Amino acid sequence: MLTTIYMVRHAESPYTAGEERIRGLSPDGELKSRQVTELLQDEGIDMIVSSPYARAMLTVEGLAGKLNLPIETYEDLRERQFADDSYLIRDEQFMTQVQNMFSDPEYALPGGESSKVCQQRAVPVMFELLEQHRGKKIVIGTHGNVMTLMMNYFDPDYGWDFFIETKKPDIYKMEFQGTRLTQVTRLWKD
């Protein structure tokens, strides 16, 4: 039985230190979240789940309203903890540090999550959805790092090179037979 997961990376969100959970979407992000709704409204979606972070929920909120579906939040779908709040990463160092995390699954900044730890918390949500909602079409509102690490669990070709090519927002349709990934199709068009 085919189960379909639509990974929806959140739309553009202006960064504000200390506001990871509550920061919303930029005006461009709001506009593109409406395009997410347009792209997915006729897919036959059965269920919408999301990270509890506002930017992820706001990206799929219009779709939920259009389809009259609730958004179920899962704490374990939150974005990767890059470092402790007291550890400052300069903007020019950020992507290099993320690349280090993808290159070495055990690498983590002080107080942060390694790729391995982040993957170990997020992937069980995927298995829960695949096992409890077989044959359904499920949207997951998520973040770039978490999305890439979940996809990487099922196919190691999804790593750093994939991550840096993703957009905000982005949509990947993942088809599963049981818990085996059989196909991935990018639906977002720039």
Side-chain angles (χ1 to χ4, degrees):
M1 181 177 294
L2 190 68
T3 305
T4 307
I5 302 281
Y6 296 84
M7 289 286 198
V8 178
R9 184 181 186 190
H10 68 79
E12 183 181 281
S13 174
Y15 177 75
T16 306
E19 294 188 359
E20 274 302 292
R21 287 188 172 270
I22 61 171
R23 62 183 225 238
L25 300 177
S26 68
D28 183 63
E30 290 175 10
L31 176 68
K32 289 184 177 168
S33 71
R34 290 193 284 277
Q35 291 175 281
V36 168
T37 299
E38 290 169 18
L39 276 168
L40 296 178
Q41 66 187 359
D42 296 324
E43 289 286 316
I45 303 299
D46 298 296
M47 180 178 194
I48 301 174
V49 303
S50 178
S51 156
Y53 287 19
R55 60 193 181 272
M57 291 191 300
L58 290 168
T59 302
V60 298
E61 183 178 69
L63 179 66
K66 182 87 168 178
L67 301 178
N68 198 29
L69 292 171
I71 300 173
E72 296 181 37
T73 60
Y74 284 78
E75 182 65 25
D76 285 338
L77 293 176
R78 70 190 178 276
E79 180 59 292
R80 176 203 302 254
Q81 176 73 32
F82 291 102
D84 185 83
D85 289 341
S86 64
Y87 185 88
L88 297 177
I89 307 169
R90 292 195 318 260
D91 289 345
E92 64 273 10
Q93 294 176 328
F94 183 74
M95 289 306 279
T96 300
Q97 292 294 352
V98 174
Q99 184 176 14
N100 291 339
M101 292 175 202
F102 275 102
S103 297
D104 177 358
E106 302 282 343
Y107 178 77
L109 294 170
E113 290 180 299
S114 68
S115 290
K116 181 179 180 181
V117 168
C118 183
Q119 191 178 60
Q120 286 175 336
R121 90 165 139 79
V123 168
V125 175
M126 288 279 289
F127 277 109
E128 178 183 328
L129 294 171
L130 291 169
E131 290 167 4
Q132 293 182 7
H133 303 282
R134 280 198 173 102
K136 302 293 186 186
K137 293 183 175 185
I138 306 162
V139 166
I140 297 180
T142 189
H143 308 269
N145 270 257
V146 174
M147 177 182 79
T148 302
L149 291 169
M150 286 190 288
M151 293 172 76
N152 171 268
Y153 179 87
F154 295 97
D155 183 342
D157 286 343
Y158 294 97
W160 169 253
D161 291 335
F162 168 77
F163 169 74
I164 60 171
E165 294 298 321
T166 62
K167 305 296 180 202
K168 292 181 185 177
D170 219 331
I171 304 172
Y172 294 87
K173 179 180 180 179
M174 303 174 69
E175 296 176 292
F176 291 86
Q177 287 289 343
T179 58
R180 185 176 59 83
L181 178 64
T182 59
Q183 184 171 338
V184 177
T185 308
R186 184 175 188 232
L187 299 183
W188 184 256
K189 306 291 186 237
D190 295 323

